mmCIF file of all heavy atoms in Angstrom:
data_model
loop_
_atom_site.group_PDB
_atom_site.id
_atom_site.type_symbol
_atom_site.label_atom_id
_atom_site.label_comp_id
_atom_site.label_asym_id
_atom_site.label_seq_id
_atom_site.Cartn_x
_atom_site.Cartn_y
_atom_site.Cartn_z
ATOM 1 N N ILE W 1 -153.074 -186.944 -104.837
ATOM 2 C CA ILE W 1 -154.148 -187.863 -104.488
ATOM 3 C C ILE W 1 -153.490 -189.184 -104.090
ATOM 4 O O ILE W 1 -152.657 -189.714 -104.826
ATOM 5 C CB ILE W 1 -155.099 -188.112 -105.684
ATOM 6 C CG1 ILE W 1 -155.602 -186.798 -106.272
ATOM 7 C CG2 ILE W 1 -156.243 -189.021 -105.277
ATOM 8 C CD1 ILE W 1 -156.592 -186.062 -105.437
ATOM 9 N N VAL W 2 -153.878 -189.727 -102.948
ATOM 10 C CA VAL W 2 -153.268 -190.943 -102.423
ATOM 11 C C VAL W 2 -153.755 -192.149 -103.231
ATOM 12 O O VAL W 2 -154.956 -192.392 -103.328
ATOM 13 C CB VAL W 2 -153.618 -191.136 -100.930
ATOM 14 C CG1 VAL W 2 -152.988 -192.402 -100.382
ATOM 15 C CG2 VAL W 2 -153.195 -189.928 -100.122
ATOM 16 N N LYS W 3 -152.811 -192.885 -103.826
ATOM 17 C CA LYS W 3 -153.133 -194.130 -104.533
ATOM 18 C C LYS W 3 -152.805 -195.350 -103.684
ATOM 19 O O LYS W 3 -153.496 -196.354 -103.768
ATOM 20 C CB LYS W 3 -152.345 -194.230 -105.846
ATOM 21 C CG LYS W 3 -152.949 -193.454 -106.971
ATOM 22 C CD LYS W 3 -152.190 -193.503 -108.270
ATOM 23 C CE LYS W 3 -151.405 -194.715 -108.591
ATOM 24 N NZ LYS W 3 -150.710 -194.629 -109.890
ATOM 25 N N ARG W 4 -151.728 -195.270 -102.904
ATOM 26 C CA ARG W 4 -151.310 -196.364 -102.038
ATOM 27 C C ARG W 4 -150.910 -195.803 -100.695
ATOM 28 O O ARG W 4 -150.332 -194.727 -100.614
ATOM 29 C CB ARG W 4 -150.091 -197.092 -102.623
ATOM 30 C CG ARG W 4 -150.422 -198.082 -103.684
ATOM 31 C CD ARG W 4 -149.201 -198.805 -104.192
ATOM 32 N NE ARG W 4 -148.368 -199.322 -103.106
ATOM 33 C CZ ARG W 4 -147.114 -199.734 -103.268
ATOM 34 N NH1 ARG W 4 -146.556 -199.679 -104.447
ATOM 35 N NH2 ARG W 4 -146.424 -200.196 -102.257
ATOM 36 N N VAL W 5 -151.208 -196.557 -99.646
ATOM 37 C CA VAL W 5 -150.788 -196.171 -98.304
ATOM 38 C C VAL W 5 -149.467 -196.876 -98.025
ATOM 39 O O VAL W 5 -149.388 -198.101 -98.099
ATOM 40 C CB VAL W 5 -151.850 -196.570 -97.261
ATOM 41 C CG1 VAL W 5 -151.369 -196.243 -95.866
ATOM 42 C CG2 VAL W 5 -153.157 -195.853 -97.552
ATOM 43 N N ILE W 6 -148.432 -196.094 -97.760
ATOM 44 C CA ILE W 6 -147.097 -196.639 -97.510
ATOM 45 C C ILE W 6 -146.683 -196.239 -96.101
ATOM 46 O O ILE W 6 -146.804 -195.072 -95.722
ATOM 47 C CB ILE W 6 -146.085 -196.087 -98.530
ATOM 48 C CG1 ILE W 6 -146.487 -196.503 -99.931
ATOM 49 C CG2 ILE W 6 -144.688 -196.575 -98.212
ATOM 50 C CD1 ILE W 6 -145.583 -195.951 -101.001
ATOM 51 N N ARG W 7 -146.190 -197.215 -95.344
ATOM 52 C CA ARG W 7 -145.775 -196.939 -93.978
ATOM 53 C C ARG W 7 -144.286 -196.661 -93.858
ATOM 54 O O ARG W 7 -143.862 -195.948 -92.957
ATOM 55 C CB ARG W 7 -146.137 -198.119 -93.088
ATOM 56 C CG ARG W 7 -147.610 -198.206 -92.800
ATOM 57 C CD ARG W 7 -147.939 -199.398 -91.935
ATOM 58 N NE ARG W 7 -149.289 -199.334 -91.415
ATOM 59 C CZ ARG W 7 -150.368 -199.541 -92.124
ATOM 60 N NH1 ARG W 7 -150.266 -199.814 -93.397
ATOM 61 N NH2 ARG W 7 -151.570 -199.454 -91.591
ATOM 62 N N LYS W 8 -143.489 -197.249 -94.741
ATOM 63 C CA LYS W 8 -142.040 -197.089 -94.658
ATOM 64 C C LYS W 8 -141.547 -196.281 -95.852
ATOM 65 O O LYS W 8 -142.143 -196.326 -96.921
ATOM 66 C CB LYS W 8 -141.355 -198.455 -94.668
ATOM 67 C CG LYS W 8 -141.665 -199.284 -93.448
ATOM 68 C CD LYS W 8 -140.919 -200.586 -93.501
ATOM 69 C CE LYS W 8 -141.209 -201.413 -92.268
ATOM 70 N NZ LYS W 8 -140.532 -202.707 -92.334
ATOM 71 N N ARG W 9 -140.431 -195.588 -95.675
ATOM 72 C CA ARG W 9 -139.847 -194.794 -96.754
ATOM 73 C C ARG W 9 -139.325 -195.728 -97.843
ATOM 74 O O ARG W 9 -138.653 -196.715 -97.559
ATOM 75 C CB ARG W 9 -138.716 -193.924 -96.223
ATOM 76 C CG ARG W 9 -138.242 -192.883 -97.217
ATOM 77 C CD ARG W 9 -137.450 -191.835 -96.478
ATOM 78 N NE ARG W 9 -136.794 -190.913 -97.357
ATOM 79 C CZ ARG W 9 -137.246 -189.692 -97.610
ATOM 80 N NH1 ARG W 9 -138.364 -189.296 -97.061
ATOM 81 N NH2 ARG W 9 -136.588 -188.887 -98.402
ATOM 82 N N VAL W 10 -139.663 -195.401 -99.074
ATOM 83 C CA VAL W 10 -139.287 -196.243 -100.205
ATOM 84 C C VAL W 10 -138.516 -195.410 -101.215
ATOM 85 O O VAL W 10 -138.412 -194.193 -101.083
ATOM 86 C CB VAL W 10 -140.546 -196.865 -100.874
ATOM 87 C CG1 VAL W 10 -141.214 -197.847 -99.943
ATOM 88 C CG2 VAL W 10 -141.511 -195.791 -101.318
ATOM 89 N N GLY W 11 -137.989 -196.067 -102.228
ATOM 90 C CA GLY W 11 -137.251 -195.369 -103.270
ATOM 91 C C GLY W 11 -138.142 -194.446 -104.070
ATOM 92 O O GLY W 11 -139.368 -194.588 -104.091
ATOM 93 N N ALA W 12 -137.538 -193.501 -104.759
ATOM 94 C CA ALA W 12 -138.283 -192.489 -105.501
ATOM 95 C C ALA W 12 -139.204 -193.077 -106.568
ATOM 96 O O ALA W 12 -140.349 -192.626 -106.701
ATOM 97 C CB ALA W 12 -137.326 -191.472 -106.110
ATOM 98 N N PRO W 13 -138.784 -194.079 -107.370
ATOM 99 C CA PRO W 13 -139.704 -194.628 -108.371
ATOM 100 C C PRO W 13 -140.937 -195.290 -107.756
ATOM 101 O O PRO W 13 -142.045 -195.146 -108.267
ATOM 102 C CB PRO W 13 -138.858 -195.659 -109.123
ATOM 103 C CG PRO W 13 -137.457 -195.267 -108.883
ATOM 104 C CD PRO W 13 -137.436 -194.638 -107.530
ATOM 105 N N VAL W 14 -140.753 -195.983 -106.635
ATOM 106 C CA VAL W 14 -141.886 -196.628 -105.959
ATOM 107 C C VAL W 14 -142.765 -195.569 -105.304
ATOM 108 O O VAL W 14 -143.997 -195.663 -105.326
ATOM 109 C CB VAL W 14 -141.384 -197.649 -104.915
ATOM 110 C CG1 VAL W 14 -142.540 -198.292 -104.173
ATOM 111 C CG2 VAL W 14 -140.534 -198.708 -105.589
ATOM 112 N N ALA W 15 -142.142 -194.547 -104.737
ATOM 113 C CA ALA W 15 -142.903 -193.479 -104.081
ATOM 114 C C ALA W 15 -143.761 -192.724 -105.083
ATOM 115 O O ALA W 15 -144.885 -192.323 -104.774
ATOM 116 C CB ALA W 15 -141.949 -192.514 -103.377
ATOM 117 N N ALA W 16 -143.272 -192.534 -106.294
ATOM 118 C CA ALA W 16 -144.038 -191.806 -107.309
ATOM 119 C C ALA W 16 -145.286 -192.570 -107.718
ATOM 120 O O ALA W 16 -146.264 -191.964 -108.177
ATOM 121 C CB ALA W 16 -143.162 -191.542 -108.526
ATOM 122 N N GLU W 17 -145.295 -193.893 -107.543
ATOM 123 C CA GLU W 17 -146.464 -194.692 -107.874
ATOM 124 C C GLU W 17 -147.512 -194.672 -106.766
ATOM 125 O O GLU W 17 -148.624 -195.142 -106.962
ATOM 126 C CB GLU W 17 -146.049 -196.145 -108.132
ATOM 127 C CG GLU W 17 -145.161 -196.306 -109.344
ATOM 128 C CD GLU W 17 -144.629 -197.725 -109.480
ATOM 129 O OE1 GLU W 17 -144.953 -198.572 -108.626
ATOM 130 O OE2 GLU W 17 -143.895 -197.971 -110.457
ATOM 131 N N ALA W 18 -147.177 -194.127 -105.602
ATOM 132 C CA ALA W 18 -148.085 -194.135 -104.461
ATOM 133 C C ALA W 18 -149.074 -192.971 -104.490
ATOM 134 O O ALA W 18 -149.989 -192.925 -103.673
ATOM 135 C CB ALA W 18 -147.300 -194.106 -103.164
ATOM 136 N N TYR W 19 -148.893 -192.016 -105.409
ATOM 137 C CA TYR W 19 -149.802 -190.871 -105.480
ATOM 138 C C TYR W 19 -149.903 -190.360 -106.907
ATOM 139 O O TYR W 19 -149.066 -190.642 -107.747
ATOM 140 C CB TYR W 19 -149.351 -189.748 -104.537
ATOM 141 C CG TYR W 19 -147.975 -189.186 -104.818
ATOM 142 C CD1 TYR W 19 -147.801 -188.155 -105.738
ATOM 143 C CD2 TYR W 19 -146.857 -189.668 -104.162
ATOM 144 C CE1 TYR W 19 -146.550 -187.635 -105.999
ATOM 145 C CE2 TYR W 19 -145.600 -189.156 -104.407
ATOM 146 C CZ TYR W 19 -145.460 -188.129 -105.324
ATOM 147 O OH TYR W 19 -144.221 -187.620 -105.573
ATOM 148 N N VAL W 20 -150.972 -189.589 -107.141
ATOM 149 C CA VAL W 20 -151.163 -188.896 -108.414
ATOM 150 C C VAL W 20 -150.884 -187.425 -108.145
ATOM 151 O O VAL W 20 -151.510 -186.816 -107.276
ATOM 152 C CB VAL W 20 -152.610 -189.075 -108.937
ATOM 153 C CG1 VAL W 20 -152.810 -188.303 -110.219
ATOM 154 C CG2 VAL W 20 -152.930 -190.536 -109.115
ATOM 155 N N ASP W 21 -149.939 -186.848 -108.879
ATOM 156 C CA ASP W 21 -149.526 -185.468 -108.651
ATOM 157 C C ASP W 21 -150.374 -184.523 -109.496
ATOM 158 O O ASP W 21 -150.290 -184.529 -110.712
ATOM 159 C CB ASP W 21 -148.048 -185.302 -108.985
ATOM 160 C CG ASP W 21 -147.460 -184.029 -108.425
ATOM 161 O OD1 ASP W 21 -148.216 -183.223 -107.841
ATOM 162 O OD2 ASP W 21 -146.236 -183.835 -108.556
ATOM 163 N N ASN W 22 -151.207 -183.717 -108.844
ATOM 164 C CA ASN W 22 -152.037 -182.722 -109.517
ATOM 165 C C ASN W 22 -151.542 -181.314 -109.254
ATOM 166 O O ASN W 22 -152.302 -180.350 -109.356
ATOM 167 C CB ASN W 22 -153.498 -182.842 -109.055
ATOM 168 C CG ASN W 22 -154.130 -184.140 -109.504
ATOM 169 O OD1 ASN W 22 -153.719 -184.735 -110.492
ATOM 170 N ND2 ASN W 22 -155.128 -184.595 -108.766
ATOM 171 N N SER W 23 -150.273 -181.176 -108.904
ATOM 172 C CA SER W 23 -149.701 -179.878 -108.560
ATOM 173 C C SER W 23 -149.593 -178.995 -109.797
ATOM 174 O O SER W 23 -149.323 -179.485 -110.895
ATOM 175 C CB SER W 23 -148.307 -180.048 -107.973
ATOM 176 O OG SER W 23 -148.341 -180.913 -106.874
ATOM 177 N N PRO W 24 -149.790 -177.684 -109.630
ATOM 178 C CA PRO W 24 -149.538 -176.789 -110.754
ATOM 179 C C PRO W 24 -148.055 -176.766 -111.077
ATOM 180 O O PRO W 24 -147.217 -177.032 -110.201
ATOM 181 C CB PRO W 24 -150.019 -175.425 -110.232
ATOM 182 C CG PRO W 24 -150.012 -175.547 -108.756
ATOM 183 C CD PRO W 24 -150.237 -176.990 -108.436
ATOM 184 N N PRO W 25 -147.693 -176.486 -112.321
ATOM 185 C CA PRO W 25 -146.271 -176.468 -112.669
ATOM 186 C C PRO W 25 -145.538 -175.367 -111.913
ATOM 187 O O PRO W 25 -146.118 -174.317 -111.614
ATOM 188 C CB PRO W 25 -146.271 -176.192 -114.177
ATOM 189 C CG PRO W 25 -147.583 -175.577 -114.457
ATOM 190 C CD PRO W 25 -148.547 -176.135 -113.441
ATOM 191 N N PRO W 26 -144.270 -175.599 -111.580
ATOM 192 C CA PRO W 26 -143.529 -174.575 -110.845
ATOM 193 C C PRO W 26 -143.327 -173.339 -111.712
ATOM 194 O O PRO W 26 -143.247 -173.432 -112.934
ATOM 195 C CB PRO W 26 -142.191 -175.249 -110.532
ATOM 196 C CG PRO W 26 -142.063 -176.337 -111.533
ATOM 197 C CD PRO W 26 -143.460 -176.768 -111.872
ATOM 198 N N PRO W 27 -143.261 -172.168 -111.084
ATOM 199 C CA PRO W 27 -143.046 -170.952 -111.871
ATOM 200 C C PRO W 27 -141.677 -170.973 -112.536
ATOM 201 O O PRO W 27 -140.726 -171.546 -111.989
ATOM 202 C CB PRO W 27 -143.130 -169.824 -110.829
ATOM 203 C CG PRO W 27 -142.860 -170.479 -109.532
ATOM 204 C CD PRO W 27 -143.330 -171.897 -109.657
ATOM 205 N N PRO W 28 -141.547 -170.371 -113.711
ATOM 206 C CA PRO W 28 -140.247 -170.396 -114.397
ATOM 207 C C PRO W 28 -139.213 -169.584 -113.632
ATOM 208 O O PRO W 28 -139.520 -168.565 -113.021
ATOM 209 C CB PRO W 28 -140.550 -169.748 -115.754
ATOM 210 C CG PRO W 28 -141.768 -168.930 -115.525
ATOM 211 C CD PRO W 28 -142.556 -169.631 -114.457
ATOM 212 N N ARG W 29 -137.995 -170.070 -113.684
ATOM 213 C CA ARG W 29 -136.907 -169.360 -113.014
ATOM 214 C C ARG W 29 -136.513 -168.151 -113.837
ATOM 215 O O ARG W 29 -136.380 -168.226 -115.049
ATOM 216 C CB ARG W 29 -135.704 -170.269 -112.857
ATOM 217 C CG ARG W 29 -135.915 -171.376 -111.878
ATOM 218 C CD ARG W 29 -134.625 -172.112 -111.662
ATOM 219 N NE ARG W 29 -134.779 -173.101 -110.622
ATOM 220 C CZ ARG W 29 -133.765 -173.736 -110.064
ATOM 221 N NH1 ARG W 29 -132.533 -173.484 -110.472
ATOM 222 N NH2 ARG W 29 -133.970 -174.614 -109.135
ATOM 223 N N GLU W 30 -136.302 -167.061 -113.150
ATOM 224 C CA GLU W 30 -135.888 -165.840 -113.841
ATOM 225 C C GLU W 30 -134.374 -165.720 -113.769
ATOM 226 O O GLU W 30 -133.727 -166.173 -112.824
ATOM 227 C CB GLU W 30 -136.530 -164.624 -113.179
ATOM 228 C CG GLU W 30 -138.041 -164.646 -113.264
ATOM 229 C CD GLU W 30 -138.672 -163.484 -112.528
ATOM 230 O OE1 GLU W 30 -137.939 -162.608 -112.040
ATOM 231 O OE2 GLU W 30 -139.895 -163.472 -112.433
ATOM 232 N N ALA W 31 -133.824 -165.114 -114.779
ATOM 233 C CA ALA W 31 -132.372 -164.928 -114.819
ATOM 234 C C ALA W 31 -132.004 -163.732 -113.962
ATOM 235 O O ALA W 31 -131.870 -162.608 -114.427
ATOM 236 C CB ALA W 31 -131.912 -164.732 -116.253
ATOM 237 N N VAL W 32 -131.854 -163.958 -112.662
ATOM 238 C CA VAL W 32 -131.528 -162.901 -111.710
ATOM 239 C C VAL W 32 -130.022 -162.814 -111.489
ATOM 240 O O VAL W 32 -129.500 -161.782 -111.118
ATOM 241 C CB VAL W 32 -132.250 -163.152 -110.365
ATOM 242 C CG1 VAL W 32 -131.924 -162.085 -109.349
ATOM 243 C CG2 VAL W 32 -133.752 -163.216 -110.584
ATOM 244 N N ALA W 33 -129.297 -163.879 -111.759
ATOM 245 C CA ALA W 33 -127.878 -163.944 -111.430
ATOM 246 C C ALA W 33 -127.044 -162.822 -112.050
ATOM 247 O O ALA W 33 -126.186 -162.273 -111.368
ATOM 248 C CB ALA W 33 -127.317 -165.303 -111.828
ATOM 249 N N PRO W 34 -127.240 -162.424 -113.314
ATOM 250 C CA PRO W 34 -126.380 -161.379 -113.862
ATOM 251 C C PRO W 34 -126.461 -160.040 -113.124
ATOM 252 O O PRO W 34 -125.503 -159.282 -113.112
ATOM 253 C CB PRO W 34 -126.879 -161.226 -115.296
ATOM 254 C CG PRO W 34 -127.477 -162.532 -115.637
ATOM 255 C CD PRO W 34 -128.055 -163.036 -114.354
ATOM 256 N N ALA W 35 -127.592 -159.745 -112.472
ATOM 257 C CA ALA W 35 -127.716 -158.468 -111.775
ATOM 258 C C ALA W 35 -126.826 -158.412 -110.548
ATOM 259 O O ALA W 35 -126.404 -157.336 -110.140
ATOM 260 C CB ALA W 35 -129.169 -158.243 -111.372
ATOM 261 N N GLY W 36 -126.509 -159.567 -109.933
ATOM 262 C CA GLY W 36 -125.713 -159.564 -108.716
ATOM 263 C C GLY W 36 -124.241 -159.846 -108.941
ATOM 264 O O GLY W 36 -123.471 -159.848 -107.992
ATOM 265 N N ILE W 37 -123.826 -160.084 -110.177
ATOM 266 C CA ILE W 37 -122.425 -160.411 -110.441
ATOM 267 C C ILE W 37 -121.609 -159.126 -110.539
ATOM 268 O O ILE W 37 -121.981 -158.194 -111.247
ATOM 269 C CB ILE W 37 -122.292 -161.237 -111.736
ATOM 270 C CG1 ILE W 37 -122.972 -162.581 -111.545
ATOM 271 C CG2 ILE W 37 -120.836 -161.411 -112.128
ATOM 272 C CD1 ILE W 37 -122.979 -163.432 -112.786
ATOM 273 N N ARG W 38 -120.507 -159.092 -109.801
ATOM 274 C CA ARG W 38 -119.627 -157.922 -109.823
ATOM 275 C C ARG W 38 -118.252 -158.353 -110.270
ATOM 276 O O ARG W 38 -117.866 -159.511 -110.115
ATOM 277 C CB ARG W 38 -119.548 -157.305 -108.422
ATOM 278 C CG ARG W 38 -120.868 -156.714 -107.977
ATOM 279 C CD ARG W 38 -120.794 -156.181 -106.549
ATOM 280 N NE ARG W 38 -119.620 -155.389 -106.240
ATOM 281 C CZ ARG W 38 -119.495 -154.085 -106.466
ATOM 282 N NH1 ARG W 38 -120.471 -153.429 -107.044
ATOM 283 N NH2 ARG W 38 -118.417 -153.444 -106.125
ATOM 284 N N ASP W 39 -117.527 -157.420 -110.814
ATOM 285 C CA ASP W 39 -116.163 -157.706 -111.242
ATOM 286 C C ASP W 39 -115.294 -157.998 -110.031
ATOM 287 O O ASP W 39 -115.442 -157.382 -108.963
ATOM 288 C CB ASP W 39 -115.583 -156.521 -112.019
ATOM 289 C CG ASP W 39 -116.285 -156.298 -113.347
ATOM 290 O OD1 ASP W 39 -116.791 -157.298 -113.902
ATOM 291 O OD2 ASP W 39 -116.327 -155.146 -113.820
ATOM 292 N N ARG W 40 -114.368 -158.915 -110.218
ATOM 293 C CA ARG W 40 -113.476 -159.292 -109.135
ATOM 294 C C ARG W 40 -112.512 -158.133 -108.825
ATOM 295 O O ARG W 40 -111.977 -157.501 -109.722
ATOM 296 C CB ARG W 40 -112.687 -160.523 -109.557
ATOM 297 C CG ARG W 40 -111.889 -161.127 -108.428
ATOM 298 C CD ARG W 40 -111.244 -162.424 -108.895
ATOM 299 N NE ARG W 40 -110.433 -162.973 -107.856
ATOM 300 C CZ ARG W 40 -110.806 -163.973 -107.067
ATOM 301 N NH1 ARG W 40 -111.980 -164.532 -107.239
ATOM 302 N NH2 ARG W 40 -110.005 -164.418 -106.123
ATOM 303 N N GLY W 41 -112.356 -157.844 -107.543
ATOM 304 C CA GLY W 41 -111.426 -156.807 -107.124
ATOM 305 C C GLY W 41 -112.046 -155.420 -107.030
ATOM 306 O O GLY W 41 -111.350 -154.462 -106.737
ATOM 307 N N THR W 42 -113.328 -155.278 -107.278
ATOM 308 C CA THR W 42 -113.958 -153.954 -107.207
ATOM 309 C C THR W 42 -114.295 -153.564 -105.781
ATOM 310 O O THR W 42 -114.685 -152.424 -105.529
ATOM 311 C CB THR W 42 -115.244 -153.910 -108.053
ATOM 312 O OG1 THR W 42 -116.139 -154.917 -107.609
ATOM 313 C CG2 THR W 42 -114.934 -154.095 -109.517
ATOM 314 N N GLY W 43 -114.168 -154.496 -104.860
ATOM 315 C CA GLY W 43 -114.416 -154.160 -103.465
ATOM 316 C C GLY W 43 -115.870 -154.317 -103.085
ATOM 317 O O GLY W 43 -116.703 -154.827 -103.838
ATOM 318 N N ARG W 44 -116.158 -153.814 -101.931
ATOM 319 C CA ARG W 44 -117.499 -153.932 -101.377
ATOM 320 C C ARG W 44 -118.428 -152.943 -102.079
ATOM 321 O O ARG W 44 -118.035 -151.801 -102.351
ATOM 322 C CB ARG W 44 -117.404 -153.609 -99.894
ATOM 323 C CG ARG W 44 -118.624 -153.911 -99.126
ATOM 324 C CD ARG W 44 -118.311 -153.784 -97.655
ATOM 325 N NE ARG W 44 -119.539 -153.852 -96.888
ATOM 326 C CZ ARG W 44 -119.608 -153.751 -95.600
ATOM 327 N NH1 ARG W 44 -118.501 -153.550 -94.912
ATOM 328 N NH2 ARG W 44 -120.743 -153.833 -94.967
ATOM 329 N N PRO W 45 -119.689 -153.354 -102.363
ATOM 330 C CA PRO W 45 -120.588 -152.408 -103.052
ATOM 331 C C PRO W 45 -120.966 -151.230 -102.154
ATOM 332 O O PRO W 45 -121.151 -151.382 -100.950
ATOM 333 C CB PRO W 45 -121.817 -153.256 -103.389
ATOM 334 C CG PRO W 45 -121.712 -154.485 -102.604
ATOM 335 C CD PRO W 45 -120.303 -154.657 -102.195
ATOM 336 N N THR W 46 -121.095 -150.083 -102.768
ATOM 337 C CA THR W 46 -121.524 -148.895 -102.040
ATOM 338 C C THR W 46 -123.040 -148.922 -101.916
ATOM 339 O O THR W 46 -123.721 -149.770 -102.501
ATOM 340 C CB THR W 46 -121.103 -147.622 -102.788
ATOM 341 O OG1 THR W 46 -121.759 -147.602 -104.053
ATOM 342 C CG2 THR W 46 -119.588 -147.571 -102.987
ATOM 343 N N LYS W 47 -123.565 -147.963 -101.185
ATOM 344 C CA LYS W 47 -125.012 -147.879 -101.025
ATOM 345 C C LYS W 47 -125.672 -147.649 -102.390
ATOM 346 O O LYS W 47 -126.717 -148.213 -102.693
ATOM 347 C CB LYS W 47 -125.366 -146.744 -100.071
ATOM 348 C CG LYS W 47 -126.849 -146.651 -99.770
ATOM 349 C CD LYS W 47 -127.184 -145.474 -98.894
ATOM 350 C CE LYS W 47 -126.846 -145.775 -97.455
ATOM 351 N NZ LYS W 47 -127.349 -144.731 -96.542
#
């Protein structure tokens, strides 16, 4: 929701005061990284 009309780019603390954020919270990050980690030297993955 617009609280202030700003014409020029401003710093992050000032910019945060120019609006009210009603966004839903971001979805939680899932731990996907371990599934793609391979041992070093095992070569290219097969099909």
Side-chain angles (χ1 to χ4, degrees):
I1 307 288
V2 180
K3 279 179 30 180
R4 279 182 49 195
V5 177
I6 298 177
R7 286 179 167 73
K8 294 182 179 178
R9 191 163 171 102
V10 293
V14 178
E17 295 173 0
Y19 60 87
V20 177
D21 196 356
N22 293 335
S23 305
R29 291 187 174 192
E30 297 176 5
V32 179
I37 295 176
R38 293 176 45 85
D39 293 331
R40 189 174 177 101
T42 57
R44 190 170 170 181
T46 63
K47 184 184 282 189

